[in-house]
Amino acid sequence: MINYSVSNYSQNCVLYLQNFERNLIEKIKSILANKQGLKCGLSLELASRDKDGECLMVVSNASFSISGSYESYNELNSFCRRQMSEIAKFISSDQILRVSLNFAKKEAPVTEDTPDKASTQGEVSQFTVQTPVYTFSQIILSEEIRQEISTALNVLKYQELIYKDWGFNEVDPIPKSVLNFYGPPGTGKTMSAHAVANELGKPLLALNYAEIESKYVGEAPKNLMKAFETAKREDAVLFFDEADSFLGKRIRNVTQGAEQALNSLRSQMLMLLEQHSGIIIFATNLVSNFDAAFESRILKHIKFELPNKEARIAIINRMLPSKLPVSSRFTETQLSELSEICDGFSGREIKGVILETLLDKASKFGEMSVFEFEDFKYRFERKREERKKLKEESQAELKVKIANAIAKKTASDNQDNDSHNDSTATEKQDDKGK
């Protein structure tokens, strides 16, 4: 997980760093696949930097006593430094991204006759449940989504009556208790997971792919098992964000260690789902890539859409603090205008824009701040332009990638044709000689 020790980071910065972290984890896995007896812990920290310092620092505990660590560090350091120009685009000039690599010797496999050293030394991730922080009264959702969640909750609430008291466990030993929330980022999936746990009167154990993988690369299945054990012991709702990482189709033609590790993680997830009788919620942006084996364990898929105009008005109205010092409360017409400007925004993005407006005003005027409608209108318009620019840049990058791929394919085809022509000419020369 990334530790943000400074507060002035944007949502675009967070999204970029989360993607950078995922790519770095995959790079670590590919390197360690060829390093027997070596494992590596990873942590990222976004902190303040010196005026003239670089935007990236890679530190590690590599030493001669840890075989393969120096070589791995140099390769990972080179990988990170190749990303410096991109990192500089997303973090401010007073921030530094500190990448910490913690190498260690991999212990011999634990058997029934030997103690679990990884557990005793704290190398397996420890997970902690939390009290849910949201209720459904705090979330702006469409009536359709609310009804679907309500239906699923009724099924979950009456599971003991149906399966235990009425004996349906004779037919189906383990009840379906898995919900899948899917849809664009920032549409309320995580908040709704909290609300479901709150409604059921249970604690929540919230995890994502990085938390399972980031402690020590290659030990994800053990971490996953630990998460399920914690949820069972605490009678907690188990919530997995970025679920497509866990539930994607298993790779059939494995060519490298990273792919084998991912297959092992997905197989472990399938086994644990079959054994676990507690409530699990997955959240994902994608569902098309789910492995068919997981479908039989999912009780209900619930799609979260981007808010429509009315929902955006309600979200803006809800996000404006009641104690906010305003010259006058915003009219319905003004709220409608803001809603039009942020067409296509998620609820999370709307909240982020409002927070940016408050921070900007506070930094300039402090306690003397008085907010006008134009303050928020300016910020929403600026955010809209940022999104438009990012989309254009993304499309431009995609066009370049496609063009490069076509050029590479053409060059390869031409090389094959040249080789074929050379071979044919040689054969003709041989025939002529004969």
Side-chain angles (χ1 to χ4, degrees):
M1 291 295 289
I2 301 171
N3 176 25
Y4 301 102
S5 60
V6 294
S7 59
N8 55 328
Y9 55 87
S10 67
Q11 185 175 13
N12 291 333
C13 171
V14 174
L15 292 174
Y16 170 78
L17 291 178
Q18 288 175 340
N19 184 61
F20 173 79
E21 183 180 33
R22 283 192 291 268
N23 291 338
L24 184 53
I25 288 173
E26 289 302 314
K27 183 65 176 177
I28 292 173
K29 288 164 63 177
S30 67
I31 291 174
L32 295 190
N34 300 316
K35 297 286 190 301
Q36 299 296 326
L38 180 67
K39 55 187 174 183
C40 177
L42 169 68
S43 67
L44 306 182
E45 181 183 16
L46 190 61
S48 299
R49 67 163 149 158
D50 296 334
K51 183 178 180 181
D52 299 321
E54 291 185 324
C55 65
L56 174 72
M57 176 187 294
V58 182
V59 297
S60 83
N61 66 331
S63 66
F64 291 112
S65 62
I66 307 176
S67 178
S69 61
Y70 269 124
E71 181 182 353
S72 300
Y73 163 72
N74 290 332
E75 192 170 347
L76 290 168
N77 183 46
S78 297
F79 173 84
C80 291
R81 299 192 74 81
R82 287 196 295 270
Q83 319 300 318
M84 279 187 66
S85 60
E86 287 297 313
I87 293 171
K89 293 179 183 178
F90 288 93
I91 69 175
S92 65
S93 58
D94 61 347
Q95 294 174 338
I96 183 172
L97 178 62
R98 185 181 292 111
V99 178
S100 299
L101 303 168
N102 182 22
F103 294 101
K105 295 179 181 179
K106 186 178 290 185
E107 301 290 340
V110 177
T111 67
E112 292 181 357
D113 299 326
T114 60
D116 188 343
K117 294 183 180 179
S119 295
T120 58
Q121 294 177 1
E123 295 175 356
V124 176
S125 296
Q126 302 297 313
F127 304 108
T128 306
V129 300
Q130 60 178 300
T131 301
V133 296
Y134 297 107
T135 65
F136 283 114
S137 63
Q138 298 171 281
I139 311 172
I140 305 297
L141 297 172
S142 70
E143 189 56 39
E144 181 181 357
I145 295 177
R146 285 185 179 277
Q147 186 57 49
E148 288 198 66
I149 294 177
S150 178
T151 300
L153 278 172
N154 283 335
V155 174
L156 297 174
K157 286 178 180 178
Y158 295 114
Q159 272 188 357
E160 186 170 350
L161 173 65
I162 295 171
Y163 277 80
K164 185 177 179 181
D165 297 347
W166 292 352
F168 193 68
N169 54 5
E170 298 171 5
V171 180
D172 185 7
I174 300 179
K176 288 184 177 180
S177 54
V178 180
L179 302 178
N180 180 45
F181 296 164
Y182 71 99
T187 49
K189 300 185 292 293
T190 298
M191 294 176 70
S192 294
H194 279 260
V196 166
N198 218 324
E199 190 78 10
L200 296 172
K202 296 178 180 292
L204 183 76
L205 178 55
L207 303 165
N208 59 30
Y209 183 74
E211 287 175 288
I212 296 296
E213 274 289 347
S214 64
K215 185 64 177 177
Y216 279 99
V217 177
E219 295 188 355
K222 186 180 292 186
N223 289 338
L224 188 63
M225 182 181 296
K226 186 71 174 179
F228 273 83
E229 290 173 353
T230 303
K232 182 178 180 180
R233 183 177 66 250
E234 303 292 340
D235 189 26
V237 173
L238 190 52
F239 173 58
F240 288 100
D241 203 357
E242 303 172 1
D244 43 300
S245 301
F246 296 104
L247 307 182
K249 293 181 176 68
R250 282 163 289 181
I251 303 167
R252 295 186 180 278
N253 299 315
V254 176
T255 59
Q256 51 184 309
E259 294 175 336
Q260 181 60 51
L262 188 57
N263 272 356
S264 297
L265 178 64
R266 289 171 177 172
S267 296
Q268 180 76 356
M269 173 66 82
L270 184 60
M271 289 188 290
L272 292 170
L273 287 178
E274 289 295 329
Q275 300 165 3
H276 191 69
S277 58
I279 297 165
I280 302 170
I281 301 174
F282 291 118
T284 178
N285 302 333
L286 303 169
V287 291
S288 57
N289 195 41
F290 275 20
D291 193 303
F294 292 110
E295 288 289 344
S296 63
R297 291 292 291 124
I298 295 175
L299 172 65
K300 194 173 186 62
H301 293 280
I302 300 177
K303 185 176 182 180
F304 285 68
E305 303 275 10
L306 289 170
N308 58 22
K309 181 179 179 180
E310 290 71 24
R312 292 195 300 273
I313 291 174
I315 292 171
I316 294 170
N317 208 16
R318 177 71 60 81
M319 297 296 177
L320 292 171
S322 59
K323 297 180 181 180
L324 193 68
V326 294
S327 58
S328 61
R329 298 304 297 181
F330 297 164
T331 65
E332 289 296 324
T333 301
Q334 289 173 325
L335 290 173
S336 179
E337 184 176 353
L338 292 180
S339 177
E340 290 287 355
I341 295 172
C342 64
D343 185 15
F345 285 28
S346 67
R348 182 191 301 161
E349 287 176 306
I350 293 172
K351 180 174 70 173
V353 174
I354 291 175
L355 180 57
E356 285 179 13
T357 309
L358 303 187
L359 290 172
D360 181 61
K361 199 82 166 182
S363 65
K364 293 177 180 177
F365 303 103
E367 295 180 357
M368 302 301 293
S369 300
V370 177
F371 289 86
E372 306 284 348
F373 168 73
E374 293 299 326
D375 296 325
F376 292 93
K377 181 179 178 181
Y378 167 75
R379 280 290 168 182
F380 274 106
E381 288 176 339
R382 182 173 174 179
K383 184 66 175 181
R384 181 177 61 184
E385 291 304 312
E386 287 178 4
R387 295 174 85 249
K388 181 180 178 182
K389 184 178 179 180
L390 283 173
K391 184 176 180 180
E392 290 172 350
E393 290 177 353
S394 178
Q395 290 174 340
E397 289 176 3
L398 180 60
K399 288 180 181 179
V400 170
K401 288 181 180 179
I402 293 173
N404 289 339
I406 293 174
K408 186 176 181 181
K409 180 69 166 57
T410 301
S412 177
D413 291 344
N414 290 338
Q415 187 176 6
D416 290 342
N417 289 335
D418 290 342
S419 299
H420 176 71
N421 292 336
D422 291 343
S423 177
T424 302
T426 301
E427 290 175 0
K428 289 181 177 179
Q429 187 66 33
D430 290 343
D431 291 341
K432 186 176 180 180
K434 293 177 181 178

